Amino acid sequence: MEFTGLRSRAFFSDKRRAFWTLQALGWTFYLMLRLVSGAGAGMSLSFALPLLISTASGYSVTLIMGGSFRWLITRKPMVTWGLSLTVFLASVMFTSMIDAWVFNLLDREGAEFTGSLFLSALSVNALLLGAW
């Protein structure tokens, strides 16, 4: 048991390495999970490209969120909480707009954009970025 504690302390001793490792593993796991669930639901291979775009945008947005949160953590509590919530909501809205646009293109070429895609992306991204 003591060995496990030493390993976790060693892993988190270099916070930058830990962040990048967890960032890469987390988004890779997300991509694999979505690919497998899409394949299980009978989605065509064309599902992979929008999913790659969605994952890349999520990865990029969380890098911006991370930088914002590192800056915000040293501010007064009201500023930290208020701006953290603003960053989170803006990130969810941005990634949801990208997801809705990209997934609208999937098997719907020329189809009209509907708000239902945006709302479903909004709920998924709020959970995903909230957990991040």
Side-chain angles (χ1 to χ4, degrees):
M1 186 165 236
E2 186 66 35
F3 181 72
T4 304
L6 289 174
R7 282 179 55 189
S8 66
R9 274 185 262 155
F11 178 76
F12 287 107
S13 64
D14 184 354
K15 291 187 189 314
R16 285 184 188 267
R17 190 184 91 227
F19 172 82
W20 287 107
T21 300
L22 292 172
Q23 179 81 346
L25 288 173
W27 283 104
T28 300
F29 178 74
Y30 168 79
L31 177 62
M32 294 297 126
L33 181 66
R34 293 286 307 268
L35 283 171
V36 168
S37 66
M43 298 295 288
S44 67
L45 189 57
S46 63
F47 177 70
L49 182 60
L51 188 54
L52 284 170
I53 294 169
S54 172
T55 303
S57 67
Y59 181 88
S60 301
V61 164
T62 55
L63 293 179
I64 295 168
M65 288 173 65
S68 300
F69 294 154
R70 275 190 294 281
W71 180 80
L72 285 169
I73 199 70
T74 60
R75 306 295 172 238
K76 293 181 180 182
M78 289 296 285
V79 172
T80 299
W81 281 100
L83 288 179
S84 292
L85 183 60
T86 303
V87 166
F88 170 72
L89 292 174
S91 299
V92 169
M93 294 294 284
F94 180 72
T95 55
S96 297
M97 286 187 291
I98 290 172
D99 285 358
W101 174 71
V102 168
F103 284 102
N104 185 60
L105 299 176
L106 178 67
D107 294 333
R108 296 170 40 105
E109 199 168 312
E112 194 172 305
F113 179 79
T114 64
S116 62
L117 273 173
F118 178 72
L119 290 176
S120 65
L122 196 65
S123 61
V124 169
N125 286 319
L127 288 171
L128 180 65
L129 296 179
W132 180 89

